[in-house]
């Protein structure tokens, strides 16, 4: 079996991590149990580009248990957990990913996945889908799923120009995905990344969060929970207003740059923190990013503004300015939660990946009839996943009576 990972000797440690994740992903366990006899993915080859983590491993094993053939690459040069990648290969899944791969290696790995002639794709950030649509392989692909906000934006733009070669389901947009993974997952894992890289005390720090979408909101909430004074920067007036009414300070980055002690970008946009901002920062400021791509911090400007640099801790580079001030960059400006920590916890990825599993299942049934556009997942799927998650937590909820249901539908019953 063709593959490329860092070191197969790490497989034992990887298997233990996967076992840990599996025990915390009860919705995935249910799906696996439900579909492992019928094997609805038999005859389907699923090619993926997604962070190679213990949670992703649970998704891949579940797809294989349901009959799929799977071939995988990472979706970020710094997010692969090498022990997990080794365990997957040992378990018979071809993986092309290792921590610290170059941009060239990264695209080489995507091409290995496409060479395997997948009939379904799973993507996180849309690099694989964009690549597939530029080759003559697109015609063999029945459909794809996209995991993240940035990827969905890219694919909607592509569909708008008529360049999408197959239908894509926006898994990101499921309520059981983005209201949980993007908020609580990103909130916790980003703080985890900052803490593992720096071991700073969060309490009392001025914490600047750029972007108040789902991810930014999660980070702001969790930083406040640990005692930080949180400042939010935004370009969208509605989101800015939400941040104000959630109790955060809101101001332009030019102003926040002079106050902040920890900066984290979560916008999906480029050039959020640039030269003037770096030049205005206090001594000891920490800067990092949790958006999908490493474009939010303009690192060329930081290099240009500084006089010297050195690696002072794992995942932490110290830049010294001509006047002696020091700025600390985490995880090379890449996703701090995956590069400096382990990504979102298993419990929340359980719902995200249940959405992936069910979206892929729907593509096997209906993919050939869908237009080459970005499609939303069904309300039914969302509700089913939420119900399974609640059940696994042993939490019961009420149900509407028939009388209540009729009341809801009767426009005549007002005052
Ligand atoms: N994205 C964020 N956290 C993740 C995780 N734990 N596994 C896969 N993708 C992720």
């Amino acid at each position: 079996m063709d593959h490329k990972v860092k070191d197969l000797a790490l497989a034992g440690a990887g298997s233990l991590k996967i076992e840990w994740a599996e025990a915390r992903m009860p919705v995935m366990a249910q799906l696996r149990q439900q579909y492992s006899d019928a094997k609805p993915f038999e005859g389907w080859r699923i090619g993926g580009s997604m962070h190679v983590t213990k949670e992703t491993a649970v998704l891949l094993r579940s797809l294989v248990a349901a009959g799929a053939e799977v071939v995988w690459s990472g979706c970020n040069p710094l997010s692969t957990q090498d022990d997990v990648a080794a365990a997957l290969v040992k378990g018979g899944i071809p993986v092309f990913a290792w921590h610290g791969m170059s941009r060239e290696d990264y695209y080489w790995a995507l091409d290995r996945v496409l060479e395997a002639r997948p009939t379904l794709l799973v993507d996180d950030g849309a690099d694989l889908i964009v690549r597939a649509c530029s080759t003559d392989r697109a015609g063999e692909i029945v459909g794809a799923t996209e995991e993240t906000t940035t990827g969905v934006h890219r694919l909607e733009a592509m569909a708008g120009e008529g360049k999408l070669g197959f239908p894509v389901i926006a898994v990101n947009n499921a309520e059981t995905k983005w209201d949980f993974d993007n908020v609580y997952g990103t909130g916790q894992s980003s703080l985890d990344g900052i803490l593992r890289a720096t071991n700073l005390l969060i309490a009392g720090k001025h914490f600047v969060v750029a972007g108040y979408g789902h991810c930014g909101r999660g980070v702001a909430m969790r930083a406040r929970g640990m005692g930080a004074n949180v400042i939010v920067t935004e370009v969208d007036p509605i989101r800015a207003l939400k941040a104000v009414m959630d109790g955060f300070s809101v101001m332009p980055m030019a102003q926040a740059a002079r106050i902040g002690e920890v900066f984290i970008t979560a916008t999906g946009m480029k050039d959020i923190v640039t030269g003037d901002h770096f030049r205005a920062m206090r001594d000891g400021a920490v800067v990092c990013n949790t958006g999908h791509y490493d474009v939010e911090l303009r690192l060329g400007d930081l290099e240009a503004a500084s006089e010297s640099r050195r690696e002072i801790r794992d995942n932490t580079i110290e830049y010294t300015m001509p006047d002696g001030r020091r700025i600390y960059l985490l995880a090379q400006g890449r996703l701090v939660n995956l590069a400096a920590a382990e990504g979102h916890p298993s419990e929340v990825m359980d719902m995200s990946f249940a959405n992936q599993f069910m979206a892929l299942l729907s593509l096997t049934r209906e993919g050939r009839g869908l237009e080459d556009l970005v499609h939303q997942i069904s309300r039914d799927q969302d509700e089913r996943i939420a119900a399974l998650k609640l059940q696994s937590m042993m939490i019961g909820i009420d149900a509407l009576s028939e009388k209540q249901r009729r009341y809801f539908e009767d426009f005549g019953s007002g005052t």
Side-chain angles (χ1 to χ4, degrees):
M1 184 186 75
D2 202 12
H3 67 271
K4 189 163 180 195
V5 297
K6 181 91 96 207
D7 182 2
L8 286 180
L10 301 171
S15 294
L16 291 176
K17 277 192 183 167
I18 299 169
E19 189 184 320
W20 178 267
E22 235 158 33
R24 284 154 189 82
M25 299 177 78
V27 180
M28 291 305 295
Q30 279 234 18
L31 292 177
R32 191 187 308 196
Q33 193 184 15
Q34 186 177 347
Y35 293 106
S36 61
D37 286 338
K39 302 222 179 300
F41 288 110
E42 214 146 55
W44 294 86
R45 194 171 303 119
I46 304 177
S49 162
M50 182 181 267
H51 306 293
V52 180
T53 64
K54 59 192 186 303
E55 291 76 22
T56 301
V58 174
L59 171 64
L60 303 198
R61 286 184 172 181
S62 304
L63 292 169
V64 169
E69 237 185 273
V70 170
V71 50
W72 219 257
S73 65
C75 69
N76 183 294
L78 292 187
S79 66
T80 297
Q81 295 167 4
D82 289 319
D83 46 7
V84 169
L88 286 168
V89 170
K90 276 269 169 94
I93 296 177
V95 175
F96 300 87
W98 58 97
H99 185 93
M101 63 203 303
S102 67
R103 188 174 186 278
E104 199 185 4
D105 292 332
Y106 174 79
Y107 279 101
W108 172 85
L110 296 191
D111 288 340
R112 297 294 74 73
V113 169
L114 294 177
E115 243 174 42
R117 312 188 76 144
T119 44
L120 293 171
L121 298 183
V122 174
D123 209 346
D124 186 327
D127 283 340
L128 184 65
I129 295 174
V130 170
R131 192 110 170 145
C133 290
S134 71
T135 68
D136 50 14
R137 291 264 187 274
E140 300 170 4
I141 295 163
V142 173
T145 61
E146 171 52 53
E147 170 77 4
T148 202
T149 314
T150 297
V152 170
H153 283 161
R154 283 180 82 187
L155 296 170
E156 278 170 346
M158 212 172 156
E161 290 183 24
K163 291 188 173 151
L164 205 51
F166 39 81
V168 180
I169 300 185
V171 165
N172 177 69
N173 298 5
E175 256 183 85
T176 46
K177 198 276 179 184
W178 77 0
D179 273 353
F180 298 90
D181 167 319
N182 301 25
V183 182
Y184 307 104
T186 307
Q188 181 168 319
S189 62
S190 301
L191 266 293
D192 187 13
I194 293 168
L195 289 173
R196 291 196 204 194
T198 66
N199 194 30
L200 282 179
L201 181 71
I202 303 291
K205 287 274 184 313
H206 292 290
F207 213 95
V208 179
V209 180
Y212 202 68
H214 285 80
C215 296
R217 184 156 62 83
V219 174
M221 230 161 68
R222 288 297 173 258
R224 175 162 64 191
M226 294 184 78
N229 293 303
V230 180
I231 297 168
V232 169
T233 71
E234 248 303 339
V235 291
D236 179 320
I238 299 174
R239 287 182 173 181
L241 202 53
K242 281 186 186 168
V244 170
M245 299 220 179
D246 284 344
F248 297 110
S249 302
V250 175
M251 62 184 75
M253 183 59 85
Q255 202 179 330
R258 286 186 266 115
I259 304 169
E261 295 169 281
V262 180
F263 295 78
I264 179 162
T265 51
T267 68
M269 179 48 64
K270 65 183 208 172
D271 299 343
I272 303 303
V273 182
T274 61
D276 286 346
H277 304 134
F278 291 124
R279 277 188 291 273
M281 283 178 191
R282 298 161 57 153
D283 181 33
V286 169
V287 292
C288 64
N289 164 56
T290 196
H292 187 81
Y293 288 113
D294 61 339
V295 296
E296 307 205 17
L297 308 171
R298 211 151 73 193
L299 296 183
D301 289 1
L302 180 55
E303 293 278 350
S306 61
E307 220 168 53
S308 63
R309 53 172 278 175
R310 61 176 176 153
E311 184 171 358
I312 190 157
R313 291 169 60 88
D314 281 353
N315 287 309
T316 307
I317 305 285
E318 177 189 73
Y319 288 83
T320 303
M321 305 308 214
D323 64 3
R325 275 176 306 119
R326 291 151 299 180
I327 294 178
Y328 297 98
L329 170 69
L330 308 187
Q332 301 172 32
R334 294 197 185 273
L335 285 159
V336 71
N337 60 339
L338 282 138
E342 290 175 69
H344 304 350
S346 310
E347 294 91 330
V348 81
M349 295 312 292
D350 191 23
M351 290 192 282
S352 309
F353 287 164
N355 273 298
Q356 283 287 357
F357 188 100
M358 286 168 71
L360 288 163
L361 205 53
S362 75
L363 284 171
T364 65
R365 296 184 189 127
E366 297 140 27
R368 289 194 173 87
L370 292 175
E371 279 188 85
D372 295 346
L373 296 171
V374 177
H375 300 265
Q376 304 304 322
I377 66 118
S378 68
R379 184 75 199 163
D380 217 42
Q381 177 176 317
D382 242 342
E383 285 180 1
R384 190 171 155 214
I385 290 172
L388 285 172
K389 191 69 182 174
L390 281 169
Q391 200 183 63
S392 77
M393 298 163 91
M394 291 189 286
I395 294 171
I397 59 170
D398 293 323
L400 289 179
S401 68
E402 198 40 49
K403 225 166 146 184
Q404 286 175 308
R405 218 180 282 281
R406 278 202 302 277
Y407 171 78
F408 217 56
E409 284 157 11
D410 177 12
F411 70 88
S413 50
T415 307

